[in-house]
Amino acid sequence: MKQETLLFVVDRKNSKILLAMKKVRFGAGKYNGMGGKVKDGETPAEGAVREAQEEVGVRIAANVAKNMGEIAFSFEGKPDWSRRVHVFVAEEWLGQPAESEEMAPEWFNLTDIPYDKMWIDDKHWLPLVLEGKKIEAAFHFAGDGSAILRQNINLL
């Protein structure tokens, strides 16, 4: 199973979350946190902060990215889409978010997260993570990602 990362930048002082519209490849057209593959020799935290810098230009120290758990994603009839995602939250960063070829960042109020423009599972686990709860979860989707066939979320 692919090892990937997902990092959410949160501005607690202003009650905002940085999401980015994915412009290409897997997840295109959806808002999400920043993230992607963990490279050989990287820890998941190192991979998460590298991806955040590559995708939206913010710099985050790996020790600032707080590990909030893991989620296993699988898709009916598409085993190559399966992935285990390490979820992080960072409340400190340097730089202004900027659009890249891959993502267009945008700040949202924590009370107005656009779940209707995100992966359908996000509304089930992201509020828990934003409350500071660490999770271990699994979601099994229909092959096109349009429906959750099975889900399990455990608080750690």
Side-chain angles (χ1 to χ4, degrees):
M1 187 176 287
K2 297 175 188 170
Q3 297 292 312
E4 296 192 354
T5 64
L6 192 55
L7 184 143
F8 294 91
V9 174
V10 178
D11 179 351
R12 295 279 180 203
K13 179 180 170 191
N14 296 303
S15 297
K16 302 267 187 190
I17 184 170
L18 181 65
L19 299 174
M21 175 62 71
K22 181 81 173 195
K23 296 166 37 178
V24 296
R25 295 185 298 280
F26 192 78
K30 297 182 186 304
Y31 280 107
N32 210 342
M34 289 62 67
K37 296 177 185 131
V38 177
K39 291 183 177 179
D40 288 341
E42 278 184 328
T43 66
E46 290 167 342
V49 300
R50 175 187 47 75
E51 288 282 351
Q53 185 164 5
E54 290 174 2
E55 292 176 344
V56 299
V58 295
R59 294 187 318 276
I60 300 163
N63 65 338
V64 169
K66 184 176 180 188
N67 180 353
M68 299 305 295
E70 295 180 14
I71 306 172
F73 295 104
S74 58
F75 293 80
E76 188 88 349
K78 298 193 176 180
D80 56 320
W81 285 16
S82 294
R83 57 202 67 226
R84 178 168 292 282
V85 177
H86 303 266
V87 179
F88 295 90
V89 170
E91 297 182 12
E92 297 174 35
W93 67 95
L94 294 172
Q96 291 297 318
E99 187 169 346
S100 68
E101 289 181 14
E102 190 170 350
M103 300 191 95
E106 189 174 340
W107 289 102
F108 291 91
N109 288 320
L110 284 169
T111 57
D112 196 27
I113 295 172
Y115 288 112
D116 60 326
K117 296 176 183 168
M118 299 171 74
W119 284 97
I120 59 175
D121 60 288
D122 291 352
K123 65 185 173 190
H124 298 287
W125 61 266
L126 185 55
L128 298 170
V129 166
L130 294 175
E131 290 172 11
K133 296 175 179 159
K134 194 169 181 178
I135 64 166
E136 183 174 271
F139 290 89
H140 184 67
F141 295 93
D144 62 358
S146 65
I148 299 170
L149 303 179
R150 290 187 308 277
Q151 71 180 49
N152 184 36
I153 303 171
N154 294 308
L155 299 178
L156 301 177

